[in-house]
Amino acid sequence: MENISEPKVSPNTVILQSEGLLKYILETGVYPREAETLKELRNATAKHPMGFMGAAPDAGQLMAMLLKVSNAKNTIEVGVFTGYSLLLTALTIPDDGKIIAMDRDRKAYEIGLPFIKKAGVEHKIDFIESPALPVLDKLLEDAAKEGSFDFAFIDADKKNYWNYHERLMRLVKIGGIVAYDNALWGGTVALPEKAVSEDKQEWRLLSLAFNQAISKDSRVEIAFVSIGDGIIFCRRIT
C-alpha cells in the first residue's frame, strides 16, 4: 500500500520576518501613498496608551483597494477605536456613501473626529456609541436592510466574532466582503498554549475557534492575509 504523507510546508520567504522588512514595506509602498489626514490620525493614535490597537496602515491600503474594486458604497464598521480604518473607508467610498460605525468608547472616537472633519467626510459616518450586537439586530428588524451593505470591517471583542458573522451574513449582500482583524492574534494561534503569556491565552483560544469555524463556512470564500495582526477577508457567496 502506498504511503501517503502530509504535504510538506516550505518556508515562505515573503512573510514578514523582521521589523526591518516591515519598515521597508511601509516606507516604500505605504506611507508615501497615505492620505495626510490618515498620517496625522496615525501619529495621534500612537500617543494613546492603547495605540497598538489602531488599524495597521498596510492592512488599510489593501482594504481601500478592495473597497474600490467592489464599488462599495454602504458599509459597516464594528469597533472603531480612534477611527483610522473608519477614516480610510470614508475617504474611499463615494461622496454619497454611508458607514454605520459602532463602538462602546466614544472618547477614543473623538481623538479621530477632528481628522475626519478636516478630511470633509463626517457626513458619510453614522457613529453609534453602543455595543454592536443590539445595533446589528436593530438593522435586521428592517427587511430592507438585509443584503444592503457592500462591505464590513470587524475589529472588536473576539468572543462575539461569530455572533457578528451570523448577522453580517444577512446584512452584507451576496458578493459583498467582510473583513475580520486580529485573526492571528500576535502569531499566538500557531504557538503551543504553554508558550503563550497568560494575558493572551483567552483571546488566542477565541481566535482559534473563530478561524476554524470560518474556514468551514460554505457561505463564504475566504482569504487569510498575514499583514498587520492578520486579517480574514470573506466574500459572501450564498
Side-chain angles (χ1 to χ4, degrees), residues 151-170:
F151 190 96
F153 180 65
I154 316 303
D155 185 6
D157 55 314
K158 308 307 173 247
K159 68 181 179 181
N160 274 313
Y161 264 32
W162 190 258
N163 291 327
Y164 300 145
H165 183 68
E166 288 291 354
R167 288 155 175 81
L168 291 168
M169 286 299 98
R170 295 172 60 191

Side-chain angles (χ1 to χ4, degrees), residues 191-229:
L191 297 176
E193 187 173 357
K194 62 183 179 181
V196 178
S197 60
E198 188 174 344
D199 62 310
K200 292 184 177 180
Q201 286 182 4
E202 180 184 2
W203 279 24
R204 168 187 173 272
L205 291 174
L206 291 168
S207 295
L208 284 168
F210 178 74
N211 294 350
Q212 185 70 18
I214 204 77
S215 69
K216 295 178 179 179
D217 188 352
S218 62
R219 295 170 294 182
V220 293
E221 296 173 330
I222 66 169
F224 277 76
V225 182
S226 57
I227 54 177
D229 193 28

Side-chain angles (χ1 to χ4, degrees), residues 58-175:
D58 49 340
Q61 190 179 56
L62 175 58
M63 194 166 83
M65 187 180 295
L66 289 172
L67 285 162
K68 289 175 183 175
V69 299
S70 62
N71 295 312
K73 183 176 180 180
N74 296 308
T75 77
I76 291 173
E77 181 148 341
V78 177
V80 172
F81 190 44
T82 62
Y84 185 94
S85 57
L86 180 61
L87 174 54
L88 179 140
T89 301
L91 287 167
T92 306
I93 63 176
D95 193 57
D96 60 344
K98 291 293 180 183
I99 309 163
I100 296 178
M102 56 212 80
D103 200 301
R104 297 170 181 262
D105 184 6
R106 184 176 181 89
K107 193 171 181 180
Y109 168 66
E110 288 179 348
I111 293 173
L113 190 54
F115 304 100
I116 290 169
K117 290 180 176 179
K118 181 179 179 180
V121 294
E122 186 184 10
H123 66 284
K124 302 182 188 182
I125 298 169
D126 179 10
F127 176 82
I128 303 171
E129 184 180 4
S130 170
L133 289 177
V135 178
L136 297 175
D137 286 338
K138 184 70 175 177
L139 289 172
L140 285 167
E141 289 177 8
D142 181 357
K145 295 293 186 185
E146 293 203 25
S148 68
F149 293 91
D150 307 301
F151 190 96
F153 180 65
I154 316 303
D155 185 6
D157 55 314
K158 308 307 173 247
K159 68 181 179 181
N160 274 313
Y161 264 32
W162 190 258
N163 291 327
Y164 300 145
H165 183 68
E166 288 291 354
R167 288 155 175 81
L168 291 168
M169 286 299 98
R170 295 172 60 191
L171 289 166
V172 172
K173 70 182 184 182
I174 292 176

Side-chain angles (χ1 to χ4, degrees), residues 4-37:
I4 301 175
S5 60
E6 290 293 322
K8 183 179 179 181
V9 178
S10 301
N12 188 334
T13 57
V14 177
I15 292 174
L16 298 183
Q17 300 175 44
S18 70
E19 290 185 15
L21 183 54
L22 175 58
K23 184 172 183 287
Y24 170 80
I25 291 170
L26 292 173
E27 292 181 350
T28 302
V30 180
Y31 293 158
R33 292 174 172 264
E34 188 178 36
E36 191 60 31
T37 47

